[in-house]
Amino acid sequence: MRAAVAYDAGAPLVVESLPLPDIGPRDVLVRLAASGICHTDLNVINGLSALPLPLVPGHEGCGVVEEVGPEVRRVKPGDRVLTSVTPACGACWWCVNEMSNHCELNSVVMSTPRFRLPDGRSAPALCGCGAFAEAMVVHEASVVPVTTDLPDEELALLGCGVTTGLGAALNTARVAPGSSVAVIGCGGVGQSVIQGARIAGAATIIAIDPAAGRRDASLTLGATHTVDPAATNPVEEVRALTSGRGADYSFEVVGRPELIVQAFDMARVEGTVTLVGMPAKDTTFTLPAVGAVFSGKRLAGSVVGGAQILRDVPRFVHLAESGELDLGSLVSKRITLDEINDGIALLERAEGVRTVIV
């Protein structure tokens, strides 16, 4: 099999032939059909995460099961599956208490060395997946069987970006009908937050992004207004669009400390601020203590959109099949595995919404 390996922070990925990973008792071999390129991949590739290199990035994929270990019960060869950014074993305390996005298998899955490199070293797979490859071996807790006619390139996005954004609006923030929503960052995840807010019935949805193409795309997916933060003060603009109060719900979908503060500032008194973007390691943000207390604002982190994958993936597939969720408009470019570094460059330049390897 061929895979794209991240050897050094900030360096181009190396596409090379690697042996198929060994299949353990609870492992599943998936032949990949499509894989999205997520901003989390970019953080890892550029050395901004705590994960050590080398590793094989990619965690947003779909494909067909080719082989399973003897103890696997969730899927069988021939099943079409979606890989998840977080596992869900279904049996630990977190899974039983409807917090499978914090499944206790997470650290085990993340740290398992999957790939044998030509220099003799072993390398893990990002999020236990390693979807920048022709095939991958993952723990069965990291796959969800799906039955749908959705195209591979669209289905793959439910592995992380769409589920994270949609879930942030529907699960974490629980956007209410008729409310106002502000979204900072309108890449693949941000556009999915916008769609989640629209599906929830929000009346005012404000998309904030310096990239004109992303602002324009947001209008087709549910945004009612757009703001260019490079041309105006986004906090003042949001307040002007919400009768001076601020947004009922604000979302930060970039992962930058100064934007987290902006999201807090643009939320109204007693509003909800949801943090979705993946920050670089060791970054911090500061809020005025008195303002944080007496504003009554609620600040919530959103891990994979609070998604319970065994419950939410079928639900989101149905939304896409019914036309309520637009996955096709999120796919801005299709590339081959050999063009992976071009796809990463597009993400760094904030061009398009989602690039997918097919």
Side-chain angles (χ1 to χ4, degrees):
M1 56 164 284
R2 297 165 69 244
V5 183
Y7 280 100
D8 299 297
L13 301 185
V14 178
V15 179
E16 55 191 347
S17 294
L18 302 176
L20 276 173
D22 296 331
I23 301 174
R26 297 191 63 191
D27 288 340
V28 178
L29 170 61
V30 179
R31 184 64 59 175
L32 281 155
S35 177
I37 302 177
C38 176
H39 204 276
T40 298
D41 296 307
L42 184 61
N43 276 3
V44 172
I45 291 166
N46 286 335
L48 300 179
S49 80
L51 299 177
L53 302 178
L55 59 67
V56 175
H59 59 283
E60 191 178 80
C62 71
V64 176
V65 175
E66 287 196 345
E67 187 177 346
V68 301
E71 297 177 14
V72 170
R73 298 293 179 266
R74 183 173 295 182
V75 295
K76 62 184 184 304
D79 283 351
R80 194 178 186 201
V81 296
L82 188 70
T83 60
S84 172
V85 63
T86 57
C89 72
C92 70
W93 187 90
W94 302 99
C95 287
V96 170
N97 286 280
E98 297 187 346
M99 291 179 281
S100 67
N101 51 323
H102 296 282
C103 176
E104 67 180 22
L105 282 181
N106 211 349
S107 60
V108 175
V109 165
M110 289 277 287
S111 61
T112 300
R114 289 293 185 186
F115 298 94
R116 294 191 299 276
L117 303 178
D119 62 9
R121 287 183 290 174
S122 62
L126 181 57
C127 299
C129 297
F132 290 176
E134 294 174 336
M136 60 184 176
V137 172
V138 298
H139 193 286
E140 69 169 322
S142 295
V143 297
V144 181
V146 289
T147 303
T148 179
D149 293 328
L150 291 174
D152 293 323
E153 62 204 49
E154 297 181 15
L155 185 63
L157 304 186
L158 290 173
C160 177
V162 170
T163 294
T164 295
L166 204 59
L170 300 178
N171 296 330
T172 307
R174 299 185 180 182
V175 171
S179 60
S180 58
V181 173
V183 181
I184 300 176
C186 299
V189 179
Q191 301 287 4
S192 299
V193 174
I194 289 167
Q195 294 206 65
R198 169 178 52 76
I199 290 168
T204 302
I205 303 173
I206 306 164
I208 304 164
D209 198 291
R214 290 182 171 180
R215 295 196 304 274
D216 292 342
S218 72
L219 293 171
T220 69
L221 294 172
T224 58
H225 304 79
T226 64
V227 172
D228 179 359
T232 187
N233 183 316
V235 174
E236 292 179 358
E237 285 294 309
V238 168
R239 288 178 178 162
L241 292 168
T242 54
S243 303
R245 292 186 299 271
D248 299 320
Y249 304 89
S250 65
F251 296 82
E252 199 282 345
V253 200
V254 182
R256 285 168 43 188
E258 69 274 20
L259 299 183
I260 292 173
V261 175
Q262 272 190 9
F264 185 87
D265 289 343
M266 67 179 56
R268 64 161 169 81
V269 168
E270 298 288 343
T272 297
V273 184
T274 304
L275 309 184
V276 187
M278 176 65 71
K281 61 183 177 181
D282 301 327
T283 56
T284 61
F285 65 92
T286 302
L287 296 173
V290 171
V293 172
F294 285 95
S295 69
K297 298 179 186 182
R298 290 167 291 280
L299 187 68
S302 186
V303 180
V304 199
Q308 311 307 293
I309 59 172
L310 297 178
R311 176 199 69 192
D312 286 340
V313 166
R315 173 188 176 199
F316 295 163
V317 166
H318 176 72
L319 287 173
E321 290 174 332
S322 68
E324 293 179 81
L325 172 62
D326 184 353
L327 295 176
S329 295
L330 298 177
V331 180
S332 50
K333 191 171 183 62
R334 300 156 185 83
I335 63 172
T336 66
L337 182 61
D338 287 316
E339 297 172 309
I340 182 62
N341 289 306
D342 295 332
I344 292 167
L346 288 172
L347 181 58
E348 289 181 315
R349 296 195 300 267
E351 292 185 19
V353 176
R354 205 53 146 206
T355 297
V356 181
I357 306 165
V358 294

